[in-house]
Each structure stands twice: as structure tokens, then as C-alpha cells.
Amino acid sequence: MTEFELKLEIPPARLASVEAALRRGMTRTQRLRARYFDTADRALAAQGVVLRLRKEGRHWVQTAKAPGSRPLERLEHNVVLGSQTAPLPDLSRHDGTPVGERLRQALQHQPDAASPDLTLVYQTDMVRLTRIVRARGALVELALDQGHITAGDRTLPVRELELELKQGQAAGAVALATTWCLRHGLWLSSVSKSLKGQRLALGQDFGAAVGAETPRFPRPASGREVAAAVVATCLNQVLANASDVAAGCSAEEHIHQLRVGLRRLRTALQQLEALAGGWGDQGDAWKASLARVFRALGQHRDRDYLLGKLQGQIEAAGGPPLDWQETLGALPSAAESVRSPAFQQALLGLIGFVHAVPDEGKSAPDDTSATSPKKFLRKRLAKLHKQVLAQGRQFTALPEAEQHALRKRLKRLRYLAEFAQPLFARRKAAAYLAALKPLQDALGIYHDEVAALLVWQGLSGHDPRALFGAGWLSARREVHVQACQQACDLLARQARPFWD
């Protein structure tokens, strides 16, 4: 069985209003006490697999879950065990199911071998208030969970609203989740109770930052399927990091990886729109919302770069320390930016696109989705490649704004090449991507120091100590320009299009 579920976090001040709204229909209350098991080396958690025994009323149910192929989709298999007293987990209960196979793969366990030792890692105790709602022809279960997770002597409170699709299309659950987010200030999270429990057991508030992944396409794949697979991989990175940032994580790497995910997602929306058959009426709103959050998070990244790296380099070169507190204003809250209703609406809308079932036999208005994805991507890649080489040949003569435009175009080329890589010869694609890296690095350093120079020049107007940094950065500018030109020339010699 495949499960599609959306989990919304509830701020404490809105819990009463969420519960009151849920009780406006026919509801059911149930206490759920669960025990989660894994090996001593956490082999299941490493593969995203969950093995749970949960008491539902008077009956125990063993459940195994594993990641599905799309965001917020999971494989699931349940076995009702009856009213026994706290049974032990048994892997064989899931034999013959897709999730059972994933369970054994994670444990590297053969069916005829002795079961590996499993230990209790954490427990949950929830009071669940449920209600079935019909939305856009779909049946969706709304479940308000209140309770706590326990791991050893650590306890974590839980307040969340789950929307599980019981019947129909995912669009119904997405529309319903959007309504609850807008009305009650909720936000989407991909951090399940099981993941919270794993972190609690390890004494971690947040998980590691999540990087980009390569899309996987069905064979053969239509244009829409390719676009959906690319958007899905971008969403996986965005959702994982955004969930932690929304929960209060301010780690530099999480914000960096969230920005990378957003940049990749924005590239996909720009470059693959025709291949997808369009993004619908909300496409422009999605793009605008993603851009706003990207810019807000960029201020955090710039602040970290200026104070955490560049100021240290200037001081190491003999420059004086500076007092930045009065100069730099307050940063926008990263958590509030991610929780914003427009951003949440964009994420939910894109999840809806990924999970949508296209009308059978119906193509996009301009029939682009019926075009070979390889043919479409060849044209896009060739165009971007040609533009990058043309600008690169005259880099030193370009105005500063066009030099920065080259950097953004190069990133679009890199991401589009990564998206297309599975459709072409992987070795050639990997070689091409490796050839892009020297120029990307050189442009990144150059652009960062150009932006920093403006900051130091502005600060020197009322703090003479900043003149040293402004002069130091100015002296480095020409060196970086020449390094970028050399990297452009190297790219022209070494980059061999893999799509020909």
C-alpha cells in the first residue's frame, strides 16, 4: 500500500482554534501508544525505514513504512495482531510486500536467516482526534495529534495535524491542507514522528542538512513525467531543509542547502515549464514566492560570509577589527520566511503537481509535453551553453551587471545539465559538469567580493577603519576578473556537450 500524507505543524497559540475547527464535524477520539524498533546501529533509520508496534484501542498493530518515489509518499503495510500484551516485532509479518522487501534490504537480512536483534528506540503516546472530510471528490482523514515522544529520559511534545488521503486524488488533500494553513497559520513539515523520535534518541534537535539528488525517470518517460520527477527531487531537498528552518534551525548549512534547493526548483520552473505543459494559474505566484524566500535567506548567507569569513581574512591581512552591530540591520527571520502563507501555498501547489494524475491521452495545449524530452532538453542545453561561451569570451570587457548575469546563467546551465543527466551518457555528462566547476568557483568568489566591496565602501563613510577593507578588496578585483577570464577560456576548451 502507498500512503500519501501531509503533516502540518501547529503553533501553540493556534492549537485551540485548530481543535475547535476540527470538532465542527463528526469526530472520533483515540489514544495511540506506539513503540519503534531498530538495530543497535540504526540500520533501519539510515534507509528511512520504520518498524512500529502501536496499540490502537485494545488491539496492537505492527506497521512497516519506507520512502516512496515522490515527496511525502510512503510505502506502508499494517498487520493487526489482536489484543495481545505488548507483542515483539516480527519481520516475517511483512513478507511478500514491497515494504517488507525494503525492510529486509535495509537490514541485509535473508528470509531463511535468523532475525536480527531489534531494540526499542523510542515511544510515542498520542491522543488523536480524527474527522473524515470530502474535498474535490477525495476522502481525506484529518487527524489532530497531541501528546509526546519519549526516548530514555528525554521527552518532546507533539502538536500536529495530519491529512491522509483515503480515497481519490492527491489534489483534494493538497487543497484542504492549503485551506488549513491559510486559516490557522500552520506550516508543512516532512519531519515525521518517527524521525523526531530518532533525533530525540540521539539528543539532536535537528537532522543534517540535505543536499541535492539526481532525478529518476520512468522508461520511457513523457515530457510531463520528466518535469514532475525533476520538481520532485528539488522538493525533497527544499522540504527537508525548510522543515528544520521553520522549526527554528538557523545553522548556516541548512540555510545554504535550502537556498540551493530553491535555486534548483526555480530553474526547473523556468526551464521546464513548456515540457510540463505549464504550471497553471498559480505558476507566477509560485515563482514569486520562491524568489522572495530565496532573497530573504540570501541575507543570512551574506551576513555569514561577511562576518564569518571575509572580516577574518581582512584582519589576517593587517586590517583593524570593525564593530558591525550598528551598521548591519536586523535580519529577516528565516523561520518566519519559510512559514509564510505564500511560500507554504507554493510548496503545497508543487506537491500537487508532482502527485497529479494527468488526463489520459490529453497533452499540453501546445503539445510540447508530447515532444521527446531528450530533444527538448538538447535545445535548452545547447542554447544556454552557447550563451555562456559567448559571454565568457569577452568576460573582462563585460559590464559588472552582465558578468553577474553570466554567473546566474552558468548556474542554470549546471542545474539543467544535472536534471538531464540520467537521459544521456552519464560519463560524458559527469565530465561536462566537472568542466563547469572551475568557472563556477571563480565567478562565485568574484561576485562575493564585489558585493562585499560595496558594503565596506558604505561602512567607510562613517567608520574610517573600514577603508583598509575597502582598499584590500579593491586591489583584489582585477585579479579575480582575470581568474574568471581564464576559467571562461578553459571552459571553452574543455567542455564537450554530452547531449549531441
Side-chain angles (χ1 to χ4, degrees):
M1 181 178 75
T2 301
E3 173 191 65
F4 176 70
E5 185 177 87
L6 298 165
K7 189 174 75 65
L8 306 178
E9 294 287 346
I10 306 171
R14 306 304 294 270
L15 179 60
S17 65
V18 169
E19 182 172 351
L22 192 61
R23 289 187 181 279
R24 289 178 190 139
M26 184 178 294
T27 60
R28 177 190 178 204
T29 301
Q30 187 177 25
R31 186 179 180 186
L32 303 173
R33 287 168 288 177
R35 298 154 60 86
Y36 290 77
F37 296 85
D38 205 338
T39 59
D41 61 354
R42 303 293 191 266
L44 295 181
Q47 299 297 318
V49 178
V50 173
L51 183 63
R52 178 185 76 196
L53 281 165
R54 185 166 75 182
K55 191 172 185 182
E56 303 178 4
R58 291 183 297 175
H59 298 279
W60 284 90
V61 178
Q62 180 171 304
T63 299
K65 296 186 180 185
S69 59
R70 294 177 291 184
L72 305 179
E73 182 180 82
R74 294 179 70 82
L75 302 175
E76 180 180 353
H77 183 245
N78 298 296
V79 181
V80 178
L81 303 179
S83 56
Q84 310 173 29
T85 302
L88 295 175
D90 184 347
L91 300 181
S92 67
R93 292 171 180 146
H94 305 291
D95 285 350
T97 68
V99 73
E101 180 61 27
R102 295 284 291 277
L103 186 65
R104 292 188 181 277
Q105 288 174 358
L107 296 172
Q108 298 181 338
H109 178 241
Q110 300 300 321
D112 56 349
S115 294
D117 291 333
L118 297 171
T119 184
L120 176 65
V121 181
Y122 53 94
Q123 304 179 68
T124 63
D125 191 348
M126 300 290 153
V127 174
R128 170 168 289 182
L129 180 67
T130 59
R131 173 179 155 197
I132 299 294
V133 176
R134 185 175 293 277
R136 295 192 180 182
L139 286 181
V140 181
E141 182 185 72
L142 292 169
L144 172 61
D145 285 343
Q146 300 180 66
H148 60 270
I149 303 171
T150 303
D153 58 356
R154 303 186 185 96
T155 301
L156 179 71
V158 173
R159 298 177 306 273
E160 59 187 38
L161 182 68
E162 293 182 355
L163 294 87
E164 183 178 352
L165 181 66
K166 293 296 187 180
Q167 182 180 320
Q169 302 302 323
V174 168
L176 197 59
T178 302
T179 298
W180 282 80
C181 281
L182 294 175
R183 287 181 181 174
H184 300 285
L186 315 184
W187 63 89
L188 187 66
S189 176
S190 61
V191 184
S192 63
K193 294 184 189 68
S194 59
L195 191 51
K196 289 178 180 178
Q198 291 162 18
R199 294 177 180 179
L200 186 66
L202 294 172
Q204 300 172 346
D205 293 328
F206 307 104
V210 175
E213 58 186 41
T214 302
R216 293 177 294 176
F217 309 130
R219 294 184 180 274
S222 67
R224 191 194 182 285
E225 287 172 328
V226 167
V230 169
V231 170
T233 60
C234 295
L235 278 174
N236 284 336
Q237 183 180 13
V238 169
L239 287 170
N241 295 296
S243 297
D244 278 349
V245 171
C249 178
S250 58
E252 181 179 348
E253 186 62 16
H254 281 78
I255 290 176
H256 168 67
Q257 290 298 339
L258 177 51
R259 291 186 75 242
V260 171
L262 289 173
R263 192 186 290 117
R264 289 169 63 86
L265 184 53
R266 293 172 66 200
T267 298
L269 295 183
Q270 179 190 56
Q271 297 295 322
L272 304 182
E273 184 165 7
L275 193 65
W279 308 116
D281 296 338
Q282 293 297 312
D284 289 342
W286 295 346
K287 294 174 186 176
S289 176
L290 297 178
R292 281 194 298 272
V293 175
F294 180 81
R295 287 193 295 269
L297 296 175
Q299 295 182 50
H300 288 261
R301 185 268 176 196
D302 292 345
R303 186 73 59 88
D304 288 334
Y305 174 73
L306 290 175
L307 303 187
K309 182 177 181 180
L310 207 50
Q311 175 63 30
Q313 291 180 348
I314 291 173
E315 290 182 19
L322 298 176
D323 181 7
W324 290 94
Q325 298 304 315
E326 296 182 3
T327 304
L328 301 178
L331 287 171
S333 167
E336 289 180 8
S337 296
V338 171
R339 294 178 186 180
S340 66
F343 185 66
Q344 293 298 313
Q345 195 166 3
L347 293 181
L348 286 164
L350 287 163
I351 290 169
F353 164 76
V354 169
H355 287 271
V357 178
D359 294 338
E360 189 174 358
K362 184 178 179 181
S363 59
D366 60 359
D367 208 35
T368 307
S369 63
T371 301
S372 162
K374 293 180 73 171
K375 182 178 179 181
F376 177 89
L377 289 166
R378 279 192 186 104
K379 290 182 178 180
R380 288 297 172 104
L381 287 165
K383 181 179 179 180
L384 279 170
H385 177 78
K386 183 178 180 180
Q387 290 172 334
V388 166
L389 293 187
Q391 281 187 296
R393 280 192 291 269
Q394 52 179 335
F395 183 84
T396 56
L398 292 176
E400 200 170 273
E402 290 188 34
Q403 291 174 338
H404 182 45
L406 171 60
R407 183 192 185 203
K408 292 193 289 187
R409 182 169 283 123
L410 182 69
K411 286 184 177 180
R412 289 197 294 272
L413 174 60
R414 172 196 163 191
Y415 294 145
L416 191 62
E418 289 175 345
F419 297 157
Q421 185 176 6
L423 295 175
F424 297 91
R426 289 183 178 270
R427 285 187 180 180
K428 291 183 178 180
Y432 181 82
L433 288 166
L436 298 181
K437 192 174 188 307
L439 179 55
Q440 181 182 327
D441 291 344
L443 288 172
I445 294 171
Y446 173 54
H447 171 71
D448 284 344
E449 292 206 5
V450 166
L453 175 58
L454 296 176
V455 174
W456 258 264
Q457 287 174 334
L459 181 59
S460 66
H462 58 85
D463 189 344
R465 293 177 300 171
L467 288 171
F468 183 97
W472 185 80
L473 289 165
S474 295
R476 291 161 60 92
R477 188 180 185 282
E478 185 58 30
V479 174
H480 289 314
V481 169
Q482 293 302 323
C484 289
Q485 184 64 71
Q486 291 171 10
C488 287
D489 297 340
L490 181 65
L491 177 67
R493 294 194 303 270
Q494 292 188 345
R496 298 289 180 266
F498 62 89
W499 53 87
D500 290 342

